[in-house]
Amino acid sequence: MHFELTEEQRMYRDAVRDFCQRELAPYAAEVDETGKLRWEAIKKMPQIGLTALQVPEEYGGAGLDTISAALALEEVARACGSTALALAAHNGLGTTPIVKWGTPAQKEKYLPKLVSGEYLGALALTEPNAGSDLSNIKTNAYRENGQWVLNGHKAWITNPGFAPVIITFTRTDREAGSRGFSMLLVEPDLEGVTIHPPEKKMGLNGSLTQQITYENVRLPEDAILGTEGRGFQQTLETLDGGRITIAALSVGLAQAAFDEAVRYANEREAFGGPIARHQAIQWMIADGALEIEAARLLTMRAAWLKDQGKPFSKEAAMAKLFASEVAERVCFNAIQIHGSYGYSREFPVERIYRDQRLMTIGEGTSQIQRLVIARRVLESYGYNVR
């Protein structure tokens, strides 16, 4: 594979960088402290396509390729981790399934709202006792008098309070195994839908994470997204793409911490000069530069494969695993380079370190990524380990 960004991709990345450094970066600490996204900036994002990265132009979207979308999310994360996670969930989880599997009527109803900058999309998968093991989902829906009746409890859901519709993964046939799950489109103001207060988290505080309860929620029969019974496969496909976005976020967070560490190392003096002159610091800088570039290239490779219509599940898992663990190491070292000041909220690396900690957990933990990679590798050798 020969990989090089096109002129159009570079120009878009640079335009997003300018926007994010102007509209997001100066307010990132405030977003973290207050737990509130900067909606003044989000409402401007349709102008640059950030709320509609891969939505077709006919619905007001930017219609971008996956590489451009990944570049954009990296730049958002470099400026503000909370905003990046909210946008990643919005684009990858809240809009993509509707783009891929929605009927013309569903697309017409929801996509213009989702790309407007007034809302953020949401996908409800995880439950209090079911995360990586989606087959253990207890939320269920059954037909009654030409409607669906939905009951269940979701946890760790991003953006539900800002969404015009919540895509909800639910069991629709108890006897059908993995073919007994579907995605339902649930409007949050329906009777029986309760969105609970935001969770108190370690980081990414501006990106609200909430539980949702469904109690006898009645939905029209055409609330199914995609094909009934195909929800499990649709979800796995969605998560494959989502891993590319989390990899991109991880690279952006790592780059932000690295930038701060390099700047501080050249300003801080000890033992007669800037600490950047000392080998102990230089090795951390060298490792960071190397690993960030490698993570970025793995992310771009997975995005390129997706754009080419080729299998990319293994590569997305590799990118997500490596980039998220690189973010952990780079942010750790950035605090080390700052010394005591790195532990202070007066310096950005403290916030960035807290923000990146989710990256090895969300969209499948590092352990789950290793399972995905190992299974794909073993299958390529002709072994069946399922």
Side-chain angles (χ1 to χ4, degrees):
M1 166 193 162
H2 174 71
F3 175 75
E4 185 177 353
L5 294 180
T6 66
E7 181 65 21
E8 186 175 354
Q9 288 166 341
R10 284 195 296 270
M11 288 176 63
Y12 184 63
R13 177 200 61 196
D14 292 346
V16 172
R17 180 179 298 168
D18 289 345
F19 176 88
C20 291
Q21 291 302 312
R22 183 177 67 253
E23 297 285 348
L24 296 177
Y27 309 94
E30 180 183 343
V31 166
D32 178 66
E33 292 288 344
T34 63
K36 295 179 181 179
L37 293 171
R38 189 168 186 260
W39 279 92
E40 180 182 345
I42 294 173
K43 289 176 181 180
K44 296 177 183 177
M45 287 181 180
Q47 303 166 19
I48 200 168
L50 286 174
T51 53
L53 291 172
Q54 295 194 278
V55 174
E57 293 180 9
E58 63 191 283
Y59 298 105
L64 295 172
D65 56 85
T66 310
I67 289 175
S68 296
L71 290 169
L73 289 171
E74 177 187 332
E75 293 301 330
V76 179
R78 191 173 179 179
C80 176
S82 289
T83 307
L85 182 65
L87 279 183
H90 164 76
N91 280 287
L93 306 180
T95 64
T96 293
I98 297 175
V99 169
K100 296 185 75 167
W101 299 297
T103 64
Q106 289 168 342
K107 292 177 182 179
E108 289 283 355
K109 183 175 183 179
Y110 295 118
L111 289 179
K113 289 182 180 180
L114 286 166
V115 306
S116 68
E118 301 290 333
Y119 303 92
L120 291 172
L123 171 63
L125 292 179
T126 305
E127 297 185 358
N129 295 306
S132 299
D133 183 10
L134 289 176
S135 63
N136 197 35
I137 291 292
K138 298 294 190 293
T139 298
N140 68 91
Y142 60 90
R143 282 190 175 88
E144 183 179 87
N145 299 325
Q147 293 181 309
W148 289 104
V149 181
L150 176 66
N151 285 280
H153 192 173
K154 297 293 185 179
W156 304 109
I157 310 306
T158 304
N159 299 335
F162 304 129
V165 62
I166 300 168
I167 303 170
T168 301
F169 180 68
T170 181
R171 191 182 296 273
T172 48
D173 186 339
R174 295 180 183 276
E175 310 301 324
S178 64
R179 296 186 178 276
F181 296 94
S182 303
M183 286 179 167
L184 289 175
L185 294 169
V186 183
E187 296 184 5
D189 57 356
L190 288 173
E191 184 177 352
V193 178
T194 302
I195 299 175
H196 297 272
E199 302 287 350
K200 296 178 181 179
K201 302 180 299 181
M202 176 181 181
L204 299 164
N205 292 313
S207 174
L208 301 189
T209 306
Q210 293 163 269
Q211 296 190 37
I212 309 171
T213 302
Y214 304 107
E215 296 182 87
N216 295 319
V217 180
R218 293 191 169 270
L219 306 167
E221 198 161 12
D222 62 2
I224 284 280
L225 178 61
T227 304
E228 182 180 344
R230 290 283 297 171
F232 197 87
Q233 289 72 26
Q234 290 172 191
T235 297
L236 293 180
E237 194 172 326
T238 300
L239 292 177
D240 277 343
R243 285 168 184 154
I244 297 175
T245 66
I246 296 299
L249 262 62
S250 300
V251 173
L253 289 165
Q255 187 68 61
F258 185 76
D259 293 343
E260 294 293 334
V262 170
R263 183 181 302 112
Y264 186 82
N266 279 282
E267 293 174 353
R268 171 70 168 177
E269 294 198 359
F271 306 108
I275 62 173
R277 294 179 182 177
H278 301 297
Q279 187 182 67
I281 302 299
Q282 290 181 356
W283 282 20
M284 285 190 277
I285 291 173
D287 288 346
L290 168 65
E291 291 195 315
I292 290 171
E293 191 62 23
R296 183 177 287 120
L297 287 171
L298 276 174
T299 303
M300 292 298 107
R301 180 168 181 259
W304 179 83
L305 287 169
K306 184 173 183 288
D307 285 336
Q308 299 300 310
K310 298 180 178 182
F312 68 95
S313 177
K314 179 186 73 176
E315 289 76 11
M318 285 179 165
K320 194 271 185 186
L321 171 64
F322 187 73
S324 62
E325 295 193 348
V326 162
E328 174 73 33
R329 289 192 290 272
V330 170
C331 293
F332 177 93
N333 283 339
I335 289 179
Q336 292 300 108
I337 289 171
H338 279 71
S340 296
Y341 289 109
Y343 201 63
S344 167
R345 290 198 175 188
E346 295 298 314
F347 286 77
V349 290
E350 183 271 343
R351 166 176 46 82
I352 299 168
Y353 184 83
R354 287 187 289 105
D355 285 351
Q356 67 77 29
R357 191 60 188 85
L358 178 70
M359 300 301 125
T360 56
I361 300 172
E363 292 278 357
T365 63
S366 291
Q367 291 69 32
I368 291 295
Q369 304 310 319
R370 286 181 166 87
L371 285 175
V372 171
I373 295 165
R375 285 176 178 174
R376 294 291 184 268
V377 170
L378 288 165
E379 286 169 359
S380 73
Y381 279 82
Y383 300 109
N384 184 4
V385 293
R386 294 181 184 274

